[in-house]
Amino acid sequence: MKTMKTIRILRLRDIFLLLVLLSLALSCGSDDNGMDCPDPTNADCDQVGDDPQDDDPVVLEPTLSSVAPVTGPKHTEVVITGENFGTDATKVSVSFNGTPGEVLGVTDTEVTVKVPARAYTGPITMEVDGFDLTGPEFVYELSEVNVETFAGTPGEPGYEEGSGTAAKFDQPWDLAKDSGGNIFVVDRNNHAIRKIAPDGVVSTFMKEGGEDGGEQESFYFPHGLAIDSDDNIYVADSGNDRIVMIDPDRVWTNIAGNQEGYVNGSGASAKFRFPAAILVGEDAGGSALYVSEDNHAIRRISLDDGQYTVSTYAGPEITELGYKDGGLSEARFHFPSGMAIIGEGTILIADYDNHRIRAIDQDAGTVGTFAGGEEGYVNDVSRSEARFRNPSDISVAGDGTIYITDTANSCIRQIDPEGHVTTIGIYDSFDYNDGPGDEAKFNSPLGVLHTGEGEIYVADTGSHVIRKIIID
């Protein structure tokens, strides 16, 4: 009897335990997806395979499905849609081309963010609680233009070192920038190359070189300037009819020319007539310098043969001015000046006395007219309808926007990627004034340099200063 009673007690205990286990199974059962919990968002339940003692909530990976709008100026409000963004704005960040935007609101499926100033065109990137997401490219529209004085004393020619406007230049002519952020300036009437450090301090980089044939080397009315990827500086020493190279250790070498004339050949045996501008480039023959000059031609200096061999690249092989499109040797120029590369295989040339922007298609071996026509000033039109007066220099931004010093119109012209021409500065002012782009005044600007950082530097020659155009 005692044994039977014990068995009944054990059975009752087993039944109780079975009821407890059944109750637990019903409260947290396995669903058809193999989850420990039917609701995967339940913070008290874990996924299959998790440590049963781990009660951390399930973190679902966020996804990005769309962005609107994908173009606009600074402070545009952009809405990013997707899933699993959460609601904690402190765990969400959005950047435009690497520049953080201001997150205005977050829901689990939508993030609203404000585009920061000077972000410029580039990809949208997003971080949500440690997850990295990449969206489409945002096309940044420039909306504000402002002009300020970067270095030099306005209206006061001179030769002074110093910071910013305490320094003095005498007809700054051309500009270039090295990999360290230093800007080099041809200080034409001071016969020197000046350097502006990133902090704005102006110093003399080179005025005289080493010994050459027993005579001290020095510049004489230098004109053009270029820098290659190794930070070698090339100077069109116009008054001496030669091209000089200065390496990063400030070692001076006369690489081509030394007498006025028009002769092709190697090194100093070649002859130029007042070389104007220099462009570092490359073609089927390798690395080269292209030099515009008063022989109304574009000359080529090989950088690969060790001899700095000079040849005629475009234009006549005798001094002959004119205006003609066609093959490289058939084309005619009239005092070609500043040059720039746009896209792949195209060289733009400021054809000074033809009042046009010319284009060399290096692949096709032809010269055409890119912008302009008869001398004058026509603005806010397509590039074929625009008119210039003695354009002297060109610089191209990364997005394809072209900046031109329209010297005799005393302003800066801009050609956007769609080919529309507008003006920075007051046309025909021949004066000096900082301020918004439609109020600024220039005085016969000759050099322009886009640095790739939303800033354009201008050699405002008649005002004896370096101006800076900031575009947001």
Side-chain angles (χ1 to χ4, degrees):
M1 292 294 294
K2 185 175 181 180
T3 300
M4 293 295 294
K5 184 177 181 179
T6 301
I7 291 172
R8 281 197 298 273
I9 292 172
L10 289 173
R11 285 177 178 172
L12 289 172
R13 183 181 299 167
D14 291 342
I15 292 170
F16 176 76
L17 290 174
L18 287 171
L19 289 172
V20 171
L21 291 173
L22 179 62
S23 176
L24 289 173
L26 290 173
S27 66
C28 187
S30 177
D31 68 0
D32 292 338
N33 295 320
M35 302 291 292
D36 284 337
C37 306
D39 180 5
T41 64
N42 187 343
D44 295 326
C45 300
D46 299 311
Q47 295 182 357
V48 171
D50 283 356
D51 183 344
Q53 303 301 317
D54 180 8
D55 291 328
D56 290 339
V58 174
V59 178
L60 298 179
E61 184 171 347
T63 60
L64 187 158
S65 58
S66 67
V67 176
V70 291
T71 182
K74 66 179 180 180
H75 302 158
T76 297
E77 291 190 8
V78 173
V79 177
I80 301 172
T81 58
E83 294 181 347
N84 304 319
F85 294 149
T87 58
D88 188 348
T90 65
K91 294 183 178 180
V92 177
S93 64
V94 181
S95 293
F96 295 80
N97 194 30
T99 302
E102 179 185 354
V103 176
L104 302 176
V106 176
T107 70
D108 199 51
T109 59
E110 193 173 278
V111 173
T112 304
V113 59
K114 183 186 291 186
V115 176
R118 304 183 71 186
Y120 306 113
T121 298
I124 296 172
T125 54
M126 187 176 184
E127 183 177 336
V128 180
D129 199 17
F131 290 94
D132 294 323
L133 304 172
T134 300
E137 181 180 77
F138 185 86
V139 178
Y140 187 92
E141 295 178 348
L142 302 174
S143 58
E144 293 181 9
V145 178
N146 195 65
V147 180
E148 61 183 46
T149 301
F150 182 62
T153 306
E156 295 185 18
Y159 190 19
E160 297 286 343
E161 316 286 30
S163 182
T165 56
K168 289 185 179 181
F169 301 89
D170 192 347
Q171 291 200 351
W173 210 268
D174 199 9
L175 312 103
K177 185 178 182 182
D178 71 4
S179 62
N182 300 292
I183 294 176
F184 295 85
V185 179
V186 170
D187 195 0
R188 183 173 171 83
N189 284 2
N190 283 318
H191 312 288
I193 307 301
R194 311 288 290 282
K195 182 176 82 170
I196 309 175
D199 61 3
V201 174
V202 179
S203 61
T204 297
F205 177 73
M206 184 72 75
K207 188 173 175 65
E208 297 179 341
E211 297 289 334
D212 184 11
E215 295 183 1
Q216 184 70 25
E217 289 287 290
S218 61
F219 294 115
Y220 187 58
F221 294 112
H223 188 146
L225 198 64
I227 297 180
D228 67 18
S229 59
D230 295 322
D231 284 342
N232 295 303
I233 297 174
Y234 301 93
V235 182
D237 191 9
S238 185
N240 284 316
D241 302 297
R242 64 184 177 183
I243 307 301
V244 171
M245 182 181 75
I246 307 169
D247 72 15
D249 295 323
R250 299 180 72 247
V251 175
W252 162 310
T253 305
N254 178 27
I255 63 171
N258 209 21
Q259 284 185 315
E260 181 180 347
Y262 193 176
V263 176
N264 289 323
S266 298
S269 68
K271 293 182 180 181
F272 298 89
R273 179 175 284 110
F274 303 114
I278 304 176
L279 176 68
V280 178
E282 192 166 339
D283 54 32
S287 298
L289 300 179
Y290 302 96
V291 180
S292 60
E293 52 148 359
D294 284 7
N295 284 311
H296 311 292
I298 309 300
R299 310 286 287 282
R300 182 187 187 277
I301 305 175
S302 172
L303 295 178
D304 291 336
D305 64 1
Q307 303 295 316
Y308 299 111
T309 299
V310 178
S311 58
T312 299
Y313 184 70
E317 292 197 353
I318 58 173
T319 301
E320 181 184 346
L321 61 84
Y323 168 66
K324 184 180 179 182
D325 289 335
L328 292 177
S329 61
E330 299 168 349
R332 294 296 180 265
F333 305 92
H334 193 175
F335 293 120
S337 186
M339 298 175 287
I341 294 174
I342 187 169
E344 296 182 2
T346 299
I347 298 175
L348 297 179
I349 302 168
D351 197 357
Y352 186 84
D353 261 0
N354 278 321
H355 314 290
R356 293 169 169 89
I357 306 303
R358 310 289 291 281
I360 297 177
D361 184 330
Q362 293 184 282
D363 294 332
T366 58
V367 178
T369 298
F370 181 82
E374 295 300 321
E375 177 183 4
Y377 178 78
V378 179
N379 188 51
D380 202 14
V381 293
S382 68
R383 57 186 170 92
S384 62
E385 298 173 308
R387 296 295 179 263
F388 306 89
R389 184 176 286 119
N390 300 131
S392 60
D393 199 15
I394 304 174
S395 188
V396 180
D399 66 355
T401 301
I402 302 163
Y403 297 92
I404 300 164
T405 49
D406 195 1
T407 302
N409 280 323
S410 204
C411 58
I412 307 301
R413 310 296 290 279
Q414 176 180 286
I415 306 178
D416 69 21
E418 285 71 45
H420 192 76
V421 181
T422 53
T423 298
I424 300 173
I426 297 176
Y427 147 72
D428 205 31
S429 62
F430 293 94
D431 203 347
Y432 168 85
N433 185 56
D434 284 339
D438 58 355
E439 299 177 9
K441 296 178 181 179
F442 297 90
N443 190 353
S444 302
L446 282 169
V448 62
L449 172 68
H450 187 282
T451 64
E453 300 167 357
E455 297 176 343
I456 300 100
Y457 295 87
V458 177
D460 194 4
T461 307
S463 292
H464 308 287
V465 294
I466 306 302
R467 311 287 286 282
K468 180 164 69 172
I469 302 172
I470 301 172
I471 303 181
D472 281 342

